[in-house]
Amino acid sequence: MTMYGSFPGARPRRLRTNPVMRRMVAETRLHPADFILPAFVLEGASEPVPISAMPGVVQHSRDSLKKAAAEAVAAGVSGIMLFGVPEESKKDALGTPGTDPDGILQVAIRDVRAEVGDDLLVMSDLCLDETIDHGHCGVLDAQGRVDNDATLERYAEMAQVQADAGAHVVGPSGMMDGQVGVIRDALDQIGREDVAILAYTAKYASAFYGPFREAVASSLKGDRKTYQQDPANARESLRELALDLEEGADMVMVKPAGPYLDILARVADAVDVPVAAYQISGEYSMIEAAAEKGWIDRDRAILETLTGIKRAGAQNILTYWATEVAQKLG
């Protein structure tokens, strides 16, 4: 006699039976418009310079940066976040290249705007670490500590020259208290109310920034633990979030992405503005290194990490794979 009812009535596996079924019921979908491409431009470079700690990523020349921007547009990527790397001899205690209209970042902004116009959001890193001789994100006081309020004055100037160069969005990444409010005031004072601020709201003092230091030729000695967030803390991210929104942030970001998906989810649940996450250099390099060893499937790992970041609540993702993944999705 055949017995019925001895097996489970609910079988979730029915919704996993083939690729079309899995695609139809997918709760999270990646789209080229989700992505923002971080890009480095090296002053004086005649051709791209490979970054050894980030296989496949380069310090661009001005010409190769314009090509990368055009490729991003063709792939459907939404934005490009620019980091300028000045000649070492031009770095000083004030980060002067950061406010020089002819500094490499401002030149790069103008180059990319001339190449792609409004077809790609041109975003600019607003921080002193690439341009300052000691490598910190702000100017130092007499005791060698980062001077928050003196740094804000420099950030205000940087915001204005970046806006004048053509940035659609500025991204203050230095984690100085009050930076969003000062930058908003500085932009409004020159009639650039149209320039948006992507606030680095939760930026943690992470070990995963290592490869980035090579990418921007960082001069940093020591660490940034006195102004970037402690990886042990979560609640203070929501405090930073409230302050940034009060000061006028248009978008907010969590950085790094992968190790802080819990923070990303909490931020996304708390706001009604766009939320971004930055899949940083160490996250990129770990996957590339493991794939090179044959330990993981590179393409699957890339898509899995990006899907996890979006599933946690990121509307936009800064990733060095932006163009590559957008091309495959498209």
Side-chain angles (χ1 to χ4, degrees), residues 259-313:
Y260 298 92
L261 295 180
D262 61 322
I263 307 301
L264 176 58
R266 291 178 71 167
V267 168
D269 286 345
V271 301
D272 56 4
V273 299
V275 176
Y278 197 147
Q279 185 181 53
I280 66 170
S281 60
E283 298 176 75
Y284 172 92
S285 296
M286 285 193 301
I287 290 176
E288 291 288 353
E292 185 179 342
K293 290 283 190 180
W295 294 340
I296 61 173
D297 181 320
R298 176 184 180 273
D299 290 352
R300 284 185 62 195
I302 291 170
L303 288 176
E304 186 174 336
T305 56
L306 292 171
T307 300
I309 293 166
K310 188 170 183 184
R311 187 184 65 241

Side-chain angles (χ1 to χ4, degrees), residues 8-297:
R11 292 185 182 269
R13 287 177 55 187
R14 294 188 190 108
L15 301 182
R16 305 169 192 153
T17 52
N18 62 55
V20 176
M21 177 67 80
R22 293 191 294 273
R23 183 184 67 188
M24 184 181 75
V25 302
E27 299 173 24
T28 304
R29 302 179 192 276
L30 295 171
H31 188 279
D34 298 336
F35 300 126
I36 298 165
L37 176 68
F40 309 100
V41 58
L42 178 63
E43 187 170 22
S46 58
E47 59 186 30
V49 177
I51 300 168
S52 63
M54 299 178 69
V57 180
V58 301
Q59 293 173 320
H60 283 288
S61 67
R62 290 175 62 186
D63 285 341
S64 71
L65 177 65
K66 290 187 286 186
K67 181 180 178 182
E71 289 175 348
V73 170
V77 170
S78 287
I80 186 167
M81 176 65 78
L82 299 178
F83 297 85
V85 185
E87 294 175 357
E88 192 68 28
S89 62
K90 294 184 178 179
K91 295 182 181 180
D92 60 22
L94 293 177
T96 299
T99 49
D100 181 353
D102 295 320
I104 184 57
L105 179 54
Q106 287 69 252
V107 169
I109 294 168
R110 291 195 292 270
D111 283 346
V112 175
R113 281 299 304 270
E115 183 72 19
V116 300
D118 292 328
D119 292 336
L120 186 70
L121 289 176
V122 178
M123 305 178 172
S124 53
D125 180 58
L126 202 164
C127 193
L128 288 168
D129 58 329
E130 295 99 1
T131 62
I132 212 157
D133 56 11
H134 49 72
H136 275 288
C137 295
V139 296
L140 303 183
D141 63 17
Q143 287 74 46
R145 302 167 301 187
V146 174
D147 187 326
N148 189 95
D149 294 0
T151 299
L152 294 181
E153 294 182 21
R154 300 291 294 135
Y155 285 3
E157 295 179 56
M158 292 179 75
Q160 292 176 340
V161 297
Q162 290 177 6
D164 285 342
H168 295 101
V169 181
V170 295
S173 60
M175 288 300 287
M176 297 296 124
D177 294 338
Q179 62 185 14
V180 171
V182 166
I183 290 167
R184 184 72 270 159
D185 286 347
L187 291 169
D188 292 352
Q189 285 175 17
I190 62 169
R192 295 310 307 271
E193 297 88 351
D194 57 324
V195 175
I197 298 176
L198 170 58
Y200 284 60
T201 290
K203 183 178 180 182
Y204 282 86
S206 173
F208 293 98
Y209 296 129
F212 181 89
R213 304 283 163 78
E214 178 188 346
V216 297
S218 175
S219 305
L220 180 67
K221 301 294 189 294
D223 58 52
R224 298 179 172 131
K225 294 180 180 179
T226 60
Y227 46 100
Q228 293 179 353
Q229 288 179 240
D230 185 340
N233 294 347
R235 286 194 301 270
E236 71 176 353
S237 291
L238 298 182
R239 185 183 185 198
E240 295 278 4
L241 175 65
L243 291 168
D244 283 350
L245 293 174
E246 182 181 345
E247 292 171 24
D250 300 288
M251 299 171 277
V252 296
M253 187 198 294
V254 174
K255 181 181 181 182
Y260 298 92
L261 295 180
D262 61 322
I263 307 301
L264 176 58
R266 291 178 71 167
V267 168
D269 286 345
V271 301
D272 56 4
V273 299
V275 176
Y278 197 147
Q279 185 181 53
I280 66 170
S281 60
E283 298 176 75
Y284 172 92
S285 296
M286 285 193 301
I287 290 176
E288 291 288 353
E292 185 179 342
K293 290 283 190 180
W295 294 340
I296 61 173
D297 181 320

